[in-house]
Amino acid sequence: MPSSAGPSIDTITEGGRVTQVGEGQEAEESAPVMTFGAPTAGEILAERYELVEHINNDSAGRLVWRGVDVVLRRPVAVVLRYPGGDSATEMLQAAVAASRVIHPNLVGVYDAIDESERAYVVREWVDGRSLRELVAEGPLDPARATAIGNAVASALASVHATGMVHGNVHPGTVMISDDGRVVLADARTDCADSQENDVRAVGGILYFALTGHWPHAEAPLRGATAGHGRAGIVDAVRDASGSIAAPRQVRAGVPAYLDDLTMDLLDAEIAPPSSDVLAAELGRLDVPAEDHFLDQTGTIRFTADPGDEPSPLAAAGGRKVAIGIAGLLAVALVGLLVGISIFGDEESPKTQTAGGPSVSAPAVGDASSPAAPVRQLIIRDVRVVDPEGDRDELRNAERVIDGEEDSGWETATYRSSGRFGNLKKGMGVWIDLGEPHSVKSVRAVLSSRGASAELRAGGADFPSSSNGDKQLVAAYANRIGQPFEEHNGTTMTFNGFNPEEKYQYLLFWITELPEKESGDGWKLGVQEITVQGS
């Protein structure tokens, strides 16, 4: 259900059951010792909240129950501590403080009661899982990482507007509900942190979402034991001096603007922006993938919307991140003379200046001509290449460019090994862009994790001879970027294109298939392929 406000519920999945655990840490396995004040299933607290199921105990010694508000007939989470009194003071204070902030990206707090022998807080029940669990399946694509960072920054902005500090932002306290809503939980009230550290933690969230590593793993949660909280998260890749590697050094496909913003937020020598300014910048960038095209060299977004405004970070001033983005905007406005591109007639391309009339694109070859904006290129033709196969897997190639990621082309199921059953060296999808283009990147969405593939380029059209597939593979020896031999996600992004070259024909070449979840063979689906360029 939608989230509103609150401090401390994290979700983990155990045996397929969604559970909610306080403090953003994993639950202890031992059952509570029944003493006076201990709750029992079926008991109704405050004549309103029925306890249904004891979910678990958190590392702070509190009991987490799934319950039902019998008045409003809605599920709730009930977090109890017994005895109450002084031992429950911080828990109740945190609940009272959190209840004052209403925001869709904060867990809702409904009630807080101290009965002396026990105290309890009634919160929103959130079905979902933590960011830590989500990223355990593989790093997220830049667009989704940006959306999560935007939600966390927005939640912090609402907290900071009241003068409070969250003080506990990490992958265990960021949850993604089943309906896709991002929820921040488990605020603290001991004032041991600062709003600046909250903002820097957003950089950590972005870094973790993009790489699967946490840049603050050396600083565990207060009171956490080994394996809990931040201590249980894989540390960032570091060099001999202890400096962390940038996201783009860890994985391919991270846009330069997002890489720079993340590293600036983590740099202790650079004063971070306020949470509301950061939320505005991430919100500007958090738009559906089909609605924008991101230039790898900066935060300038080329889109059909003429109402775009400069980065809010540029207006903040006094920071490396702001200066860098402002500089990019200035260079773009003066040198490129375009901030927004209208995608229309390809034979007569037009650009539009921000807030100005449309103008014809300068003639090719003019030394003063601005660089063409990056956009999604149209794929004119696509075919399956199977040089060593029996021609039974060539159908449905057009599904990889239909704009639908839930449909695509699939290989057959191979036995004995992921290398096509040791029957062939690979298969591929051949792409024709219709005419030569400057290509920025190629993005392939796959049906499952664990595949290995590479991208190749060539100058030959698809052969019409009987052994045309073999001829084509032999002619496409120019590999783009690096192969994803140990890729563990479902999205592959290939960069490394020579900006001085034009490309018309590309080959997405699969070298190894992932094992099916059922364990009865190896198979892969290519759901969608898109090409960015100009």
Side-chain angles (χ1 to χ4, degrees):
M1 62 186 286
S3 306
S4 51
S8 90
I9 300 176
D10 186 21
T11 62
I12 64 173
T13 303
E14 296 181 346
R17 181 182 68 183
V18 173
T19 61
Q20 306 202 10
V21 181
E23 298 296 335
Q25 302 176 28
E26 297 175 355
E28 304 292 345
E29 297 296 332
S30 58
V33 176
M34 300 302 290
T35 63
F36 181 71
T40 58
E43 183 178 1
I44 297 180
L45 306 179
E47 300 182 349
R48 179 168 184 172
Y49 306 111
E50 180 181 358
L51 300 179
V52 176
E53 179 185 12
H54 174 226
I55 299 302
N56 229 312
N57 297 351
D58 66 23
S59 59
R62 304 177 303 185
L63 284 68
V64 183
W65 280 73
R66 177 171 62 88
V68 175
D69 183 336
V70 298
V71 176
L72 299 180
R73 306 306 303 171
R74 64 180 176 183
V76 295
V78 182
V79 183
L80 302 100
R81 178 186 290 277
Y82 62 92
D86 293 342
S87 65
T89 298
E90 183 180 345
M91 180 183 79
L92 296 173
Q93 287 178 343
V96 171
S99 67
R100 299 171 183 164
V101 186
I102 307 299
H103 193 276
N105 299 119
L106 289 170
V107 172
V109 176
Y110 303 145
D111 215 339
I113 299 173
D114 187 358
E115 296 179 346
S116 295
E117 71 273 11
R118 63 186 173 188
Y120 47 92
V121 174
V122 182
R123 302 191 181 101
E124 174 187 3
W125 177 267
V126 181
D127 284 325
R129 52 183 175 166
S130 68
L131 177 63
R132 180 168 64 178
E133 293 177 285
L134 183 65
V135 174
E137 300 176 357
L140 307 183
D141 63 77
R144 192 170 190 191
T146 301
I148 291 174
N150 177 31
V152 174
S154 298
L156 289 175
S158 68
V159 172
H160 293 173
T162 68
M164 294 190 298
V165 175
H166 187 280
N168 200 22
V169 181
H170 64 88
T173 56
V174 176
M175 299 185 296
I176 294 84
S177 67
D178 290 342
D179 63 1
R181 187 181 299 277
V182 179
V183 183
L184 181 60
D186 195 17
R188 305 184 71 94
T189 60
D190 52 16
C191 297
D193 242 315
S194 65
Q195 292 188 359
E196 178 178 316
N197 286 344
D198 278 352
V199 175
R200 291 196 186 282
V202 179
I205 293 298
L206 290 171
Y207 191 94
F208 180 77
L210 291 168
T211 68
H213 299 272
W214 179 243
H216 307 302
E218 75 285 356
L221 288 169
R222 282 160 292 199
T225 57
H228 290 294
R230 301 174 196 162
I233 305 176
V234 178
D235 191 13
V237 177
R238 300 176 184 271
D239 60 20
S241 67
S243 300
I244 64 173
R248 298 183 83 188
Q249 295 175 299
V250 179
R251 60 174 292 200
V254 178
Y257 80 91
L258 191 57
D259 186 271
D260 292 341
L261 176 58
T262 300
M263 295 304 290
D264 281 350
L265 289 172
L266 296 175
D267 191 338
E269 297 182 358
I270 300 176
S274 62
S275 54
D276 58 340
V277 170
L278 178 59
E281 169 66 2
L282 289 171
R284 187 182 72 87
L285 299 171
D286 177 19
V287 296
E290 63 270 17
D291 291 344
H292 72 102
F293 303 97
L294 298 171
D295 189 335
Q296 297 282 329
T297 61
T299 63
I300 301 168
R301 175 160 55 88
F302 296 95
T303 175
D305 180 8
D308 279 353
E309 298 180 357
S311 162
L313 286 179
R319 288 180 291 272
K320 173 185 171 184
V321 64
I323 294 172
I325 294 175
L328 286 170
L329 288 173
V331 171
L333 291 174
V334 176
L336 301 182
L337 300 178
V338 290
I340 299 169
S341 174
I342 296 178
F343 302 114
D345 185 357
E346 290 192 347
E347 295 181 357
S348 301
K350 295 181 179 181
T351 59
Q352 184 177 14
T353 58
S358 60
V359 296
S360 299
V364 176
D366 185 350
S368 62
S369 299
V374 175
R375 60 187 176 88
Q376 182 167 315
L377 302 177
I378 296 176
I379 298 177
R380 299 297 183 182
D381 192 13
V382 59
R383 304 188 192 186
V384 175
V385 179
D386 187 14
E388 300 170 283
D390 53 12
R391 318 297 293 173
D392 289 339
E393 302 171 73
L394 306 185
R395 295 185 297 273
N396 302 322
E398 69 282 354
R399 292 183 180 178
V400 306
I401 58 171
D402 61 2
E404 301 290 337
E405 293 187 4
D406 57 355
S407 66
W409 164 77
E410 290 184 322
T411 69
T413 297
Y414 289 82
R415 312 296 177 183
S416 74
S417 85
R419 295 190 178 276
F420 297 89
N422 296 320
L423 300 174
K424 59 182 75 172
K425 295 180 180 179
M427 291 184 66
V429 178
W430 176 81
I431 298 167
D432 179 7
L433 299 175
E435 61 183 3
H437 287 274
S438 294
V439 178
K440 191 74 173 180
S441 65
V442 173
R443 177 175 178 267
V445 179
L446 309 179
S447 62
S448 56
R449 297 178 288 119
S452 293
E454 57 190 33
L455 187 71
R456 301 180 180 182
D461 198 349
F462 201 96
S464 57
S465 60
S466 58
N467 63 342
D469 286 19
K470 293 182 179 179
Q471 295 176 2
L472 187 141
V473 172
Y476 281 60
N478 180 17
R479 192 174 69 189
I480 305 299
Q482 297 296 318
F484 286 78
E485 294 297 332
E486 298 180 355
H487 179 71
N488 63 352
T490 57
T491 301
M492 292 184 177
T493 303
F494 295 86
N495 299 300
F497 289 88
N498 185 345
E500 304 300 323
E501 283 191 44
K502 301 287 186 178
Y503 301 84
Q504 178 174 347
Y505 305 111
L506 302 170
L507 177 62
F508 178 68
W509 185 246
I510 305 165
T511 57
E512 187 167 0
L513 305 174
E515 187 172 8
K516 295 170 64 176
E517 292 185 2
S518 58
D520 59 349
W522 286 261
K523 184 178 184 178
L524 178 67
V526 180
Q527 306 301 102
E528 193 73 17
I529 294 178
T530 54
V531 182
Q532 300 284 324
S534 58

